[in-house]
């Protein structure tokens, strides 16, 4: 399978790309990050890749220096993916961070949750919520546009370089120091690149667009 990947320079995207390739799939990466060592395609090059079978959007956060332009850019790239999907009748899978959805962390979010804009959301979160609402409309028109919300992702680079619970645990072990936590006991599970890939394949096999939570 030939897979197109938007936001290919991100940590999750790199790990997902490596996993797809280990299964024998070909990944065509798109990114605007010109400083990366890997020569990615520009988003404007999408039309040159006629044989893509699925397109995945994994664009990450925004620069704090120019929020407005990054906000607009994310919308334009999503429009590009939606247009590609509708014109070619092929699946477009949009992956969002679970941290964007809702403020109640005591219970998992339901698949039928319809996000709404609330006060205080940063431009990154707003762009994800607006995209889901747009995708819902396209699905009502028969579009193969899928939304996957990723909760609690964990991967080698992501854990090592990130600032998350597992990151703190790992660094404490490496530094041979006590890792302190506060509050009541809790249970937490994580998903990795293999689970994300399985969710993507399930989306591809679906005859209709869907929204799903991965946690």
């Amino acid at each position: 399978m030939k897979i197109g990947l938007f936001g290919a320079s991100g940590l999750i995207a790199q790990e997902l790309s490596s996993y797809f390739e280990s299964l024998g799939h070909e990944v065509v990466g798109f990114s605007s990050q010109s400083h990366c060592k890997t020569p990615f395609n520009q988003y404007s090059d999408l039309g040159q890749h006629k044989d893509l079978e699925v397109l995945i959007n994994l664009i990450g956060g925004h620069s704090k220096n120019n929020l407005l332009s990054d906000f607009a850019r994310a919308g334009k790239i999503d429009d590009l993916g939606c247009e590609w999907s509708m014109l070619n009748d092929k699946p477009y899978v949009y992956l969002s961070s679970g941290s964007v959805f809702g403020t109640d962390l005591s219970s998992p979010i339901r698949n039928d949750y319809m996000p709404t804009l609330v006060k205080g959301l940063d431009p990154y979160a707003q762009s994800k919520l607006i995209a889901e609402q747009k995708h819902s409309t396209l699905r009502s028109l028969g579009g193969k546009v899928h939304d996957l919300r990723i909760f609690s992702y964990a991967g080698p680079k992501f854990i090592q370089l990130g600032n998350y619970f597992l990151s703190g645990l790992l660094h404490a072990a490496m530094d041979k120091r006590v890792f302190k936590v506060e509050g009541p006991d809790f249970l937490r599970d994580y998903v990795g690149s293999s689970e994300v890939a399985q969710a993507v394949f399930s989306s591809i096999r679906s005859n209709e667009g869907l929204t799903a939570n991965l946690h």
Side-chain angles (χ1 to χ4, degrees):
M1 180 181 295
K2 193 168 184 178
I3 302 170
L5 183 60
F6 282 178
S9 61
L11 288 179
I12 298 180
Q14 290 178 46
E15 293 179 356
L16 187 59
S17 179
S18 295
Y19 184 77
F20 280 136
E21 290 174 344
S22 73
L23 298 177
H25 302 291
E26 180 182 355
V27 178
V28 179
F30 297 84
S31 175
S32 59
Q33 301 297 322
S34 58
H35 63 273
C36 294
K37 295 180 181 179
T38 304
F40 295 114
N41 295 274
Q42 294 296 307
Y43 295 107
S44 57
D45 298 331
L46 178 61
Q48 301 176 19
H49 299 274
K50 306 291 186 181
D51 52 349
L52 292 180
E53 297 174 64
V54 59
L55 183 61
I56 304 171
N57 188 334
L58 231 174
I59 294 177
H62 302 279
S63 167
K64 293 182 179 180
N65 297 324
N66 201 341
L67 291 174
L68 187 59
S69 65
D70 283 342
F71 182 68
R73 172 180 159 274
K76 290 180 179 179
I77 293 174
D78 180 49
D79 287 342
L80 187 65
C82 291
E83 182 180 8
W84 175 88
S85 176
M86 298 297 285
L87 289 177
N88 295 281
D89 193 30
K90 293 181 179 180
Y92 170 55
V93 184
Y94 188 86
L95 284 80
S96 297
S97 168
S99 62
V100 171
F101 301 95
T103 56
D104 180 12
L105 303 180
S106 62
S107 59
I109 197 168
R110 302 196 317 267
N111 283 344
D112 60 356
Y113 170 75
M114 287 300 295
T116 56
L117 293 178
V118 296
K119 185 177 181 180
L121 288 179
D122 62 30
Y124 169 69
Q126 290 185 34
S127 68
K128 296 295 184 182
L129 297 183
I130 290 173
E132 276 209 8
Q133 292 172 328
K134 176 172 57 180
H135 301 162
S136 178
T137 300
L138 293 178
R139 283 193 290 272
S140 69
L141 299 174
K144 297 179 179 178
V145 181
H146 309 273
D147 288 297
L148 295 181
R149 305 163 180 157
I150 304 175
F151 292 79
S152 302
Y153 179 86
K157 289 184 179 179
F158 201 75
I159 296 172
Q160 185 176 359
L161 301 177
N163 183 26
Y164 305 95
F165 176 81
L166 276 184
S167 304
L169 193 62
L170 173 65
H171 294 153
M174 293 173 62
D175 298 338
K176 297 181 179 180
R177 56 181 171 81
V178 175
F179 181 69
K180 297 181 179 180
V181 295
E182 298 179 358
D185 295 338
F186 64 92
L187 297 175
R188 187 165 187 177
D189 200 0
Y190 295 86
V191 298
S193 55
S194 61
E195 288 82 9
V196 175
Q198 291 173 26
V200 169
F201 292 141
S202 295
S203 300
I204 295 172
R205 291 191 295 268
S206 174
N207 291 324
E208 299 178 353
L210 56 82
T211 299
N213 301 317
L214 189 60
H215 51 75

